[in-house]
Amino acid sequence: MKYMKLGSKPDTFYTEDATRSVLSDVPSDLTIHINNTKYLLHKFPLLLKCGLLQRLCPDSVDLSSPSPIELHDIPGGEEAFEVCAKFCYGITISLSAHNIVPTLCAAKFLRMTESIARGNLVPKLEAFLDACVVHGWKDSVVALHASDGVHAWSENLGIIRRCTESIIDKILTHPSKVTWSYTYTRPGYSERPHRSVPKDWWTEDISEISIDHFRSIISAVRSAKKLHPGLIGEALHVYACKNLPEPPNADRMEEEALAKHRRVLESIVSMIPGEPGSVSGRFLLRLLKEARYLEASPSTKAELVRRSGRQLDEATVGDLLFPADPSSASRPFDVDLVGEILESFMVRFRHRMGVPMGQEDREAMVKSMSRVARLIDLYLQEIASDPSVPASKIFDLVEACPEFARQEHDHLYRAIDAYLKGHPELNKADKKHLCSALDCKKLSKDARMHAIRNDRLPLRTVVQLLFIEQEESPGDPMMQTTARRDGKSTQLVKDREGQRERGEPSSSVMKVDDDKMEKHMAKVNARVVDRLERLEEKAITEEVEKKKEDMNLRNEGGSGSKVKVKTRTR
């Protein structure tokens, strides 16, 4: 960063009783008020260089009670004025990109031009700004950031335009020609031995400026069409991480701070390039989560739902865990919002699948759909314990994905089982409706065995599982195990069965395998029969208990008759 020093005298300004004065043998004859600060200075050095003070000071000199001058509207306030005053006294001042903009604006306000005095402050500041500050990368960014406090004056003097043009020109420079210093703190970058200039080298530095300046720069860079949309998206991501609060912290903000961050969020969303993949799906979902906390406009939320839905296959379960509205503590998760995002994905999926495309593109779309289906199943496992989520919403999310999207139903089974466990009061109709989405044939062996012993599942689902287990047991577990143990293929087992049908003698090993298979089948049949009998007994017991309750209700009505109910036992 460049610096400029003017003057050679030591600093003799001091504060006494909330008044700023200068050590001098000459009594003060100039009183200036700026906001809450009072200055006791001297006309001699200040009027020689300040055209404004020449006009405001009266011709008569009254040392006993000098007329105060009010300068409350000076740009840059007390700090900028004091730099200008020290210049008039010849006191050493240090100028850099941090203070040159407010100082230049204050000097212009005081009319410290070349026409008032030769070698005045304004031409010196202009020369330093053009020769040093605007030509540097970080100096331009810092000066642009400093212009926020004196925006109107900076705009009129062309400072903002000069800094912005310099920044845009450097951003559009090819990375191989970047020779100036920049801020880049990505993890692992500093450890690379021969690191080249990254394409997004500029994104961190411009995240320090205000959203208005940032939007102007991004708009100009996009108009040039020299940078990939992904670089624009990366700049938006860095700026959002720097200037937007985490959602939990938004609840503790004042309305003014909320309005400021809401404006930043809505501006970022409006600047997202339209090209797919310019920003990540996870970043879009984070913006959507913050939009709910910051109470962004409905159009902003709708745009985020649409965009995040297009890239839903990039998300994780944590990205979909949207807390409910703070005013409604009864529902910890916003399931409806996830449904809207999923619907946005399905709209795009159906549209893409309806147009001609290559085989690779079609396979990529199918894989994307499978990832979304698995994501939804994992999401349902997370929200299953929420007592306020009805079974109909769970079913709607499951059915929103096409059948081919789930090659296996293990994750879906875990989600349904978790929901049934968290909602023991669920009636039989809802249980049956929810479990109808489960394809028992797509369950793995372990999941199927767990489901058969699961008392929370409806009877119809358990029966289906038992029949599937009985059908697959002879051909899958035992034959495959026998073939693997003997080091032979499944065809050997089939040949052995053919020999038995033709009456041909078999080896002792084959006889042993047959005996083991028969024992295994006997165990499977016994387990199926036992499970069916227990389920039947449970159903009969429930029916009897219901009849007893009905009889008791009628007895309480005054019938007085005693009814004996015979239970059926196994």
Side-chain angles (χ1 to χ4, degrees), residues 97-108:
H98 290 284
N99 63 353
I100 187 174
V101 176
T103 302
L104 177 57
C105 294
K108 280 283 189 177

Side-chain angles (χ1 to χ4, degrees), residues 130-144:
D130 292 334
C132 299
V133 176
V134 172
H135 280 263
W137 164 251
K138 286 193 174 183
D139 289 312
S140 298
V141 174
V142 171
L144 185 61

